[in-house]
Amino acid sequence: MKNLPLADPGTPDIRSATRYMAWIMREQGWTLVGAIGFGIAWMVAQASVPAVIGAAIDAVVDQGAGRALVLWSALLLVIGAVQAFSGIMRHRYAVQMWLDSAYRTVQLVSTHTGRLGSELNRRVAHGEVVSVGATDIANLGNFVDVMGRFIGAIVAYLVVAAILLRSSLTLGLVVLVGVPLLMAVTGPLLRRLNRRNQQARALQGQLNTLASDIVAGLRVLRGIGGEAMFDRRYRAASQDVRRAGVRVARVQSVLDAFQVLLPGAFVVLVVWLGARFAANGQISAGDLVAFYGYATFLMLPLRTFTEAANKLIRGHVSARHVVRILRIQPSVSDPADPVSPPDGDLVDARSGFVARKGVLTAIVSDDPRDAVALADRLGGYVEPGGDVDAVSYGGVPLGGVAREELRRRIVVNDTGSALFSGSLRSALDARGTASTEEIDRAVTTASADDIVDGLTEGLDAEIAERGRSLSGGQRQRIVLARALLTDADVLVLVEPTSAVDSHTEARVATRLRRHRAGRTTVVVSSSPLVLDVADEVAFLSDGRVVATGDHHQLMTTDPAYRQVVTREEAEDVA
């Protein structure tokens, strides 16, 4: 991707689907040159066969089956060898281009979505991202795959037209004018196909989003008995996609029929004219055979032209969806002159919250959404249009810190953190730098020893995607151990013990304090077991810090705080 124009480091400056497709073609480099070169050789070799056969027939008629026939046959053998070799090489280059363009798109979209992080979910449905891998990379690959044959077909068409013009002006003009007219006939069909492809692709993205939502919430659906409703929704959406696909297929079938009918009619016209010229003595018998060969051969370029137009349309539709994702820019980007902040206090001016250096601070809020929003801001995650400079670390606004350093030094671990399929060791040690002793210590702090001990292969055991082979409490403890292994200067934990029992929660809280001693830790929780070990507790009301102190002090002096922490008892009293 060295030639990709950049608006800022790592952000593609691609404004349209056409520019993206042009960029893909440029990135092919010599592979594209090779595919076009061998495509031309392959097509021209095929176009030359009728000329050689016609010349051989005329030579036999004039000179008999002697030396001339041997020479023409040898030439035909050479042309066949060139055609076979160029066909093999063209196919190899075409496959290489397909793979290159497809996986280049995957890499680019994956890198960009990783850069966007949680912001991606707020800006585009995740089904759109899934559809890139499921549909769009194939369409873009097919687009570049056909280019070698398409350019070869153009050159071969011009070669055949030139040969026919030399032999018969009328037939040459029929080819020169007839082929563009045949292509013009399919124009309305191609425009209709483009519209219907766009509709089908949009519906496919919506269906993928719905499927992802259903899979992600399957356990909840089963718990509340909502499978039937979502089953009906998915069936209805899938039928919409099916109907859109049928509408595309109808136009595609007519276009495919035209690919046979129009070239066939063209062959009939050229052969009929050639036969009349031969009967009148205007052309020789060899020329008649050659004209029939040319007419038959022209079916291949005509079909290639239509195929290229079809794949261009599909590729353009897919490129539009790829560009839609690539054009999403992070709300926060790297500063022109990044500053490396000293390890100090983490301060949020918007809420008045301060996480003092080396202190375990807890956040309690009368509205959990305010606490989650504060945790996001502390990690430099802001809503589009938000002010990242509202938070400072060591006296330096987060907007002045490079994203890579910020993500390394301040880690936010929330309830939506996911596990990927693979070994438990790789799930815990995402950076691949921790020793077994460090992993064991983090696992112990998260009270996850029983999980590792229960697996036959221990840390090398495979876990399913999203940790589906684990219970909710087990997943939460593994995610907490993973966060501890980042060894971040500031660790922000959102409800890290909400899915575990009280005995486990008490162990985790005590061990967490010991594990993170001397480093800044922020915990969003309303659990008394967690709050009891915190050095300081900040109470939020309407998104602002209204009280600070230790847990016992706030329980005694602040009724609103006491009601949030002991909500169940407060409701019973009411």
Side-chain angles (χ1 to χ4, degrees):
M1 303 180 189
K2 56 184 179 301
N3 297 324
L4 181 65
L6 302 177
D8 58 74
T11 304
D13 182 24
I14 296 176
R15 301 297 180 184
S16 68
T18 303
R19 288 187 61 181
Y20 183 73
M21 296 172 76
W23 172 74
I24 286 181
M25 297 296 293
R26 289 198 305 270
E27 288 298 298
Q28 302 297 329
W30 288 106
T31 305
L32 175 61
V33 174
I36 292 175
F38 284 113
I40 292 174
W42 180 61
M43 282 284 191
V44 172
Q46 293 183 74
S48 303
V49 170
V52 174
I53 293 176
I57 291 174
D58 286 341
V60 171
V61 171
D62 294 339
Q63 305 172 22
R67 182 171 177 271
L69 179 59
V70 174
L71 292 176
W72 284 112
S73 298
L75 179 58
L76 188 61
L77 180 63
V78 171
I79 292 175
V82 171
Q83 179 183 343
F85 175 75
S86 58
I88 292 172
M89 296 304 297
R90 178 206 59 77
H91 181 69
R92 292 185 62 178
Y93 276 107
V95 171
Q96 183 176 341
M97 289 170 59
W98 193 104
L99 294 173
D100 183 275
S101 64
Y103 291 104
R104 190 181 296 273
T105 298
V106 170
Q107 290 173 343
L108 190 60
V109 172
S110 299
T111 301
H112 192 63
T113 54
R115 188 181 304 119
L116 291 172
S118 60
E119 189 171 339
L120 178 67
N121 293 332
R122 298 193 296 266
R123 306 282 289 277
V124 66
H126 47 264
E128 284 294 313
V129 183
V130 173
S131 296
V132 170
T135 305
D136 296 332
I137 64 170
N139 289 338
L140 291 168
N142 292 336
F143 158 68
V144 298
D145 166 82
V146 78
M147 291 311 297
R149 287 182 289 126
F150 176 63
I151 301 299
I154 293 176
V155 174
Y157 156 69
L158 295 175
V159 169
V160 169
I163 294 174
L164 289 176
L165 281 172
R166 291 186 60 185
S167 302
S168 170
L169 179 62
T170 302
L171 287 175
L173 290 176
V174 167
V175 172
L176 280 175
V177 176
V179 171
L181 285 178
L182 292 179
M183 292 302 302
V185 170
T186 62
L189 285 175
L190 293 174
R191 286 193 294 272
R192 184 178 300 177
L193 183 64
N194 183 27
R195 290 194 301 270
R196 294 191 176 182
N197 267 317
Q198 291 183 33
Q199 295 169 358
R201 173 58 180 79
L203 290 172
Q204 183 64 58
Q206 295 172 12
L207 181 64
N208 287 338
T209 299
L210 179 60
S212 299
D213 289 342
I214 292 174
V215 172
L218 193 57
R219 289 192 177 187
V220 177
L221 290 177
R222 287 175 175 171
I224 63 176
E227 304 103 308
M229 183 186 70
F230 274 87
D231 177 68
R232 290 192 297 270
R233 284 184 58 189
Y234 185 81
R235 286 177 180 272
S238 64
Q239 287 302 310
D240 290 339
V241 174
R242 182 189 64 80
R243 285 189 287 270
V246 170
R247 288 194 294 270
V248 171
R250 285 173 181 164
V251 179
Q252 184 68 58
S253 64
V254 175
L255 187 62
D256 290 343
F258 271 33
Q259 288 181 343
V260 177
L261 174 63
L262 296 180
F266 187 69
V267 169
V268 171
L269 175 61
V270 172
V271 172
W272 180 74
L273 289 174
R276 288 179 60 87
F277 291 155
N280 295 333
Q282 295 177 283
I283 60 175
S284 65
D287 288 336
L288 177 60
V289 173
F291 288 166
Y292 173 76
Y294 294 142
T296 304
F297 164 76
L298 283 173
M299 294 182 68
L300 178 59
L302 283 170
R303 288 188 179 184
T304 303
F305 294 154
T306 308
E307 178 190 0
N310 187 11
K311 290 183 175 179
L312 174 63
I313 288 172
R314 291 177 180 269
H316 194 270
V317 170
S318 292
R320 288 177 60 183
H321 288 271
V322 172
V323 169
R324 180 188 174 193
I325 295 175
L326 296 180
R327 289 181 64 182
I328 299 174
Q329 299 302 320
S331 299
V332 181
S333 57
D334 278 340
D337 298 308
V339 179
S340 182
D343 189 12
D345 295 346
L346 189 63
V347 181
D348 176 47
R350 181 173 171 182
S351 65
F353 173 77
V354 178
R356 293 187 290 117
K357 175 184 175 182
V359 171
L360 174 59
T361 307
I363 299 174
V364 178
S365 176
D366 57 5
D367 186 342
R369 292 172 297 183
D370 291 336
V372 172
L374 172 58
D376 284 343
R377 291 200 301 275
L378 294 177
Y381 302 101
V382 296
E383 296 285 346
D387 183 12
V388 70
D389 289 335
V391 179
S392 62
Y393 176 42
V396 177
L398 294 189
V401 184
R403 296 298 94 189
E404 182 179 355
E405 181 178 0
L406 180 61
R407 298 291 175 253
R408 177 172 50 83
R409 298 184 61 181
I410 304 178
V411 172
V412 179
N413 185 71
D414 59 23
T415 54
S417 298
L419 293 173
F420 298 97
S421 58
S423 69
L424 180 58
R425 183 186 299 273
S426 64
L428 289 167
D429 183 18
R431 295 172 180 167
T433 58
S435 64
T436 301
E437 292 74 18
E438 290 171 329
I439 294 176
D440 290 341
R441 180 167 178 256
V443 167
T444 299
T445 300
S447 194
D449 305 82
D450 60 313
I451 303 173
V452 179
D453 295 340
L455 299 173
T456 305
E457 300 177 41
L459 291 174
D460 296 321
E462 293 290 315
I463 60 174
E465 181 186 1
R466 292 181 176 269
R468 291 193 180 96
S469 56
L470 305 173
S471 68
Q474 289 175 327
R475 282 200 308 274
Q476 190 173 60
R477 285 180 282 160
I478 293 297
V479 167
L480 174 58
R482 180 179 64 183
L484 293 171
L485 279 169
T486 62
D487 200 30
D489 294 342
V490 179
L491 182 60
V492 182
L493 304 173
V494 180
E495 297 291 351
T497 58
S498 59
V500 301
D501 60 79
S502 58
H503 297 291
T504 303
E505 186 174 31
R507 286 197 302 270
V508 170
T510 302
R511 293 172 182 177
L512 177 63
R513 178 186 176 87
R514 186 166 56 247
H515 188 103
R516 292 287 300 174
R519 283 171 295 178
T520 307
T521 307
V522 179
V523 182
V524 176
S525 177
S526 59
S527 168
L529 295 172
V530 175
L531 299 174
D532 195 45
V533 303
D535 297 308
E536 186 172 270
V537 179
F539 178 50
L540 298 182
S541 181
D542 294 328
R544 296 283 303 176
V545 175
V546 294
T548 58
D550 62 42
H551 171 58
H552 295 288
Q553 176 187 354
L554 292 176
M555 285 288 289
T556 304
T557 61
D558 196 317
Y561 174 84
R562 184 170 60 252
Q563 182 175 354
V564 171
V565 174
T566 61
R567 183 175 300 276
E568 182 176 347
E569 289 79 358
E571 290 176 353
D572 289 342
V573 172

